[in-house]
Amino acid sequence: MNLVTIEHLTKSYTERLLFDDTSFSMEEGEKVGLIGINGTGKSTLLRIVAGLEEADEGSVIFRRNLYIRYLPQNPRFLSGDTVLDSIVRDNKKEPHFTSEEEIRASARAILTKMGIWDYEAKVDTLSGGQKKRVALTSVLLSTADLLILDEPTNHLDSEMADWLEGYLKRFHGALLMITHDRYFLDSVTTRIVELDKGKLYSYQTNYEGFVKWKAERMDMALASERKRQSILKTELEWMQRGARARSTKQKAHIQRYEALRDQEAPKFDQEVELESVSSRLGRTTVEILGLSKAYGSKVLLKDFTYIFLKNDRVGIIGPNGSGKSTLLKMIAGWVKPDTGDIRIGQTVKLGYFSQENEAMDESLKVIDYIRNVAEVVHTRDGSISASQMLERFLFPGSMQHTGISRLSGGEKRRLYLLRILMEAPNILLLDEPTNDLDIRTLTILEDYLDSFSGIVVTVSHDRYFLDRVVRRIFAFEGDGAVVPYEGGFTDYQAAVERKGFKQEPEGAGKEKGDGIKIKGGNGREHQKKLKFTYKEQKEWETIEESIAVLEDKIEDLERLIEESATVFGKLSLLMEEKAQTEQLLEEKMERWVYLNELAEKIAKQG
């Protein structure tokens, strides 16, 4: 039985047509994920289904006595309420609760899963993420027929997301949600609905199936357009031969031609495209030496040391409030450590994508916000203007003179990201980059980072993003311990499972990886001296010989190039081999410099 049926939905917001004569429905027990580009109306659809907003045109029919609970993107609370007060007020009419104390007990059980332990705290004093988790707790206590959740996974760490995933899979009612978490969509949803240019397209599958089916839909649309163009060509030839509209048959033929001619071609969203832009990064990058940071009795970092290598891809994970963002802010110079040192190389140009859209003046127009960074940006393919860059980042000309204040939250984050990338940094610090960005933008950001010539350090709870982007995980595991794990998030999970526990600080002070020394934890291991790992020792013993071999090979190739100057095919291959060998030599020389410096430091220790 249908819970909600919407037909011929049309809705505009200012100059934007969000829904163009489209339809939507939900049945009992369905779990639907709504996806689409930011600013196209996803949250508006949720509000229409929740009965909080009306359509301009069309009909919205609800099943009789349908009970809906709605989690907005930015929940609001009554001033002065405590955490439990707000939850009790929202759930007083829930039939399965017999008393306020029962509501409070159930709320406390979920709040602990959400990382909220101060139940009597005033909601006014909470952070935005904490408020969202309190509101989510309140909604989850209900026995609604339909839960409508707008970005429920924002501000949840991986353990919270795992718990919520299991809870919603067991939930017997229907679910309609917006989320950027692709693993979450894969696991929870039974149907994906895509909002694309005012139309809603339904796919009876999870996210993985949606990706395949959408590709097929696009292929079919392109095939239909090719067929239309072919028929039009034939019909046009018929018209040009002098067909006269004297008979009914000829008139009908002409009408079919005109209908085919006036039919709109399929439209596909312009991809978010941005060539990799970065400044040259020298030998010294960022060196973190003996870093410690605490707020009162809460220790975030204890004697943490790490030297970033060129093209490092590091993901930072841990519970909310454990110190992940603080570490990025210390690297960026926003927060001072209690002890320790952070050395920044002379050629380092930091790009810090903070959670707060730092310094975004919302009185500016979109184009001016970007032009304040640069009128043009230089890429490998030439120069691109600020306006062209905006178009590639899904801000067409019609939007570029819009005030930032009129953008959706996701559009503001996309604009802020573009500004950071246009500054051509060679070290990117990304703090929760997946929050409020739509999936298509995330996909292109991931592709961009593949070719980014520099270091990427990201704080993220998005398991898919971490698997896609990073090659090393730093896990904040309590009491100042920061423990390294090789690989992405799935590799981290497997390593933790092999240990047989979660979030227990073990491995502090151990060396891991190439050219890395990591310390942090309970203080017992922190006095260990610098030394080569086994792999580094072997590499140090042979690296000069390896360099000599590469130099000899380049000399041989240069001689062969001179001898083959008139043989183009052979010359091209030799030139390509020489370029590859020179690249290997450059990398080997940089590695020698690092190992030599480490050897000198070890020697000074005596």
Side-chain angles (χ1 to χ4, degrees):
M1 177 183 287
N2 276 7
L3 300 178
V4 181
T5 303
I6 302 176
E7 295 180 342
H8 304 293
L9 173 63
T10 299
K11 176 80 174 177
S12 295
Y13 176 72
T14 61
E15 73 279 4
R16 299 190 199 183
L17 180 63
L18 300 181
F19 304 104
D20 181 14
D21 191 20
T22 193
S23 299
F24 174 79
S25 65
M26 279 195 70
E27 295 183 358
E28 291 180 351
E30 273 198 304
K31 291 182 169 61
V32 177
L34 177 63
I35 65 175
I37 297 170
N38 287 329
T40 54
K42 299 190 302 295
S43 293
T44 301
L45 180 62
L46 261 56
R47 289 180 57 81
I48 290 172
V49 176
L52 300 173
E53 194 161 333
E54 293 184 354
D56 295 342
E57 297 178 25
S59 62
V60 182
I61 302 169
F62 298 97
R63 192 198 70 186
R64 189 176 180 183
N65 298 322
L66 177 64
Y67 178 28
I68 296 174
R69 286 293 296 272
Y70 167 63
L71 174 73
Q73 198 170 55
N74 299 298
R76 296 182 179 181
F77 298 86
L78 289 180
S79 181
D81 263 1
T82 66
V83 168
L84 283 178
D85 286 342
S86 68
I87 294 174
V88 168
R89 178 180 291 105
D90 290 343
N91 289 278
K92 274 185 177 180
K93 295 182 180 179
E94 288 289 339
H96 62 296
F97 289 127
T98 58
S99 66
E100 285 192 13
E101 188 50 45
E102 191 177 349
I103 300 174
R104 291 174 183 272
S106 298
R108 285 192 287 266
I110 296 182
L111 285 168
T112 56
K113 300 291 186 183
M114 295 288 107
I116 305 288
W117 292 279
D118 188 355
Y119 314 126
E120 299 304 323
K122 298 289 186 183
V123 182
D124 297 341
T125 66
L126 302 181
S127 68
Q130 289 170 324
K131 288 178 181 177
K132 185 69 175 276
R133 282 177 271 146
V134 169
L136 177 59
T137 298
S138 182
V139 168
L140 294 179
L141 286 175
S142 75
T143 55
D145 302 309
L146 172 59
L147 287 184
I148 299 177
L149 308 179
D150 196 341
E151 294 287 7
T153 56
N154 273 8
H155 310 291
L156 300 187
D157 63 35
S158 58
E159 287 196 5
M160 295 173 191
D162 282 343
W163 178 86
L164 180 61
E165 186 178 298
Y167 187 95
L168 293 177
K169 287 168 74 172
R170 294 188 300 272
F171 177 65
H172 293 299
L175 170 68
L176 172 62
M177 69 173 174
I178 299 169
T179 180
H180 61 261
D181 190 323
R182 287 156 284 184
Y183 281 160
F184 197 87
L185 282 170
D186 249 354
S187 178
V188 174
T189 60
T190 57
R191 178 159 66 109
I192 297 291
V193 173
E194 182 190 23
L195 176 56
D196 185 12
K197 291 188 169 47
K199 301 291 187 182
L200 291 163
Y201 299 91
S202 180
Y203 302 83
Q204 208 71 38
T205 181
N206 60 7
Y207 179 74
E208 184 180 358
F210 155 76
V211 173
K212 296 175 182 175
W213 287 13
K214 182 179 180 182
E216 290 180 11
R217 177 172 73 83
M218 293 174 69
D219 287 344
M220 288 173 63
L222 288 171
S224 296
E225 175 61 12
R226 285 193 295 270
K227 184 176 180 181
R228 183 178 78 92
Q229 292 293 341
S230 176
I231 295 172
L232 265 176
K233 182 179 179 182
T234 303
E235 295 291 286
L236 183 60
E237 289 174 355
W238 178 82
M239 294 285 288
Q240 289 174 341
R241 282 200 297 267
R244 301 179 183 277
R246 289 179 179 171
S247 70
T248 303
K249 186 175 180 180
Q250 287 174 327
K251 286 180 181 178
H253 200 152
I254 291 171
Q255 287 171 352
R256 284 197 302 273
Y257 161 76
E258 291 174 342
L260 221 82
R261 179 198 62 194
D262 297 337
Q263 182 180 321
E264 285 192 10
K267 295 178 181 178
F268 301 109
D269 290 316
Q270 178 185 348
E271 291 296 329
V272 184
E273 294 177 353
L274 185 62
E275 290 89 348
S276 178
V277 182
S278 61
S279 307
R280 187 187 69 84
L281 184 60
R283 188 182 68 197
T284 305
T285 60
V286 173
E287 297 181 359
I288 300 175
L289 307 171
L291 208 65
S292 296
K293 184 67 181 178
Y295 288 102
S297 61
K298 184 167 186 177
V299 179
L300 303 182
L301 280 168
K302 186 184 290 183
D303 196 21
F304 174 66
T305 294
Y306 183 73
I307 299 170
F308 285 96
L309 301 178
K310 281 190 174 181
N311 295 315
D312 247 349
R313 297 291 189 271
V314 176
I316 302 175
I317 66 172
N320 289 320
S322 59
K324 306 182 300 296
S325 295
T326 302
L327 175 57
L328 289 196
K329 288 177 180 177
M330 285 192 285
I331 296 173
W334 289 21
V335 172
K336 291 188 178 297
D338 296 339
T339 59
D341 191 22
I342 299 177
R343 298 175 186 171
I344 307 292
Q346 289 186 345
T347 61
V348 166
K349 188 173 182 181
L350 288 172
Y352 180 31
F353 184 64
S354 71
Q355 288 193 51
E356 297 85 12
N357 288 3
E358 184 265 334
M360 178 171 272
D361 183 351
E362 296 198 4
S363 66
L364 290 175
K365 294 178 180 177
V366 169
I367 186 71
D368 294 331
Y369 179 72
I370 297 300
R371 281 177 174 164
N372 285 346
V373 178
E375 288 281 352
V376 296
V377 64
H378 302 286
T379 73
R380 290 171 295 183
D381 297 330
S383 298
I384 303 175
S385 70
S387 179
Q388 290 172 319
M389 292 293 280
L390 281 165
E391 286 184 0
R392 294 184 180 202
F393 235 56
L394 298 182
F395 292 101
S398 59
M399 287 186 67
Q400 293 180 12
H401 293 277
T402 300
I404 293 174
S405 61
R406 297 175 65 185
L407 301 181
S408 71
E411 287 172 321
K412 289 174 185 176
R413 289 292 280 172
R414 191 195 315 146
L415 183 65
Y416 178 50
L417 174 62
L418 175 58
R419 180 185 171 106
I420 297 296
L421 297 180
M422 282 195 67
E423 291 173 347
N426 46 36
I427 297 183
L428 275 172
L429 307 178
L430 306 175
D431 196 353
E432 294 291 2
T434 63
N435 279 2
D436 299 318
L437 287 182
D438 59 77
I439 290 174
R440 284 192 60 240
T441 305
L442 285 177
T443 301
I444 303 304
L445 172 61
E446 290 158 359
D447 291 341
Y448 172 85
L449 294 177
D450 285 343
S451 62
F452 177 71
S453 180
I455 295 168
V456 178
V457 186
T458 180
V459 171
S460 181
H461 298 308
D462 189 315
R463 299 159 292 176
Y464 189 104
F465 183 78
L466 290 170
D467 274 345
R468 178 69 175 76
V469 171
V470 309
R471 298 191 290 268
R472 179 171 293 119
I473 294 284
F474 286 163
F476 277 66
E477 298 190 348
D479 296 325
V482 180
V483 180
Y485 297 85
E486 294 303 303
F489 185 83
T490 301
D491 299 307
Y492 155 77
Q493 279 188 315
V496 168
E497 287 171 6
R498 284 195 297 271
K499 288 181 179 181
F501 61 86
K502 280 195 174 184
Q503 299 299 319
E504 182 176 332
E506 179 179 309
K510 294 182 180 180
E511 295 162 10
K512 187 112 175 164
D514 295 341
I516 303 166
K517 181 141 191 334
I518 306 223
K519 302 187 291 183
N522 56 19
R524 291 193 293 271
E525 298 287 339
H526 301 317
Q527 302 307 314
K528 181 182 277 191
K529 291 183 178 180
L530 283 170
K531 67 176 184 179
F532 281 129
T533 63
Y534 176 80
K535 183 178 179 181
E536 287 171 341
Q537 183 65 48
K538 289 295 183 184
E539 187 179 8
W540 177 237
E541 292 170 359
T542 60
I543 193 167
E544 290 187 1
E545 182 180 347
S546 298
I547 288 171
V549 169
L550 289 170
E551 288 174 336
D552 289 344
K553 184 177 180 180
I554 290 172
E555 286 184 12
D556 290 342
L557 286 167
E558 287 175 343
R559 178 178 52 79
L560 290 171
I561 287 168
E562 286 182 13
E563 294 172 357
S564 307
T566 58
V567 185
F568 178 75
K570 186 177 180 181
L571 179 62
S572 177
L573 291 172
L574 289 170
M575 293 290 286
E576 183 178 348
E577 186 178 359
K578 183 191 173 191
Q580 292 173 350
T581 308
E582 287 173 337
Q583 177 65 31
L584 288 173
L585 177 61
E586 183 182 349
E587 292 172 2
K588 193 67 72 173
M589 290 295 292
E590 288 178 354
R591 185 68 177 155
W592 178 88
V593 169
Y594 169 76
L595 291 171
N596 185 59
E597 287 182 350
L598 183 56
E600 290 175 355
K601 290 176 183 177
I602 292 169
K604 286 179 182 178
Q605 292 180 152

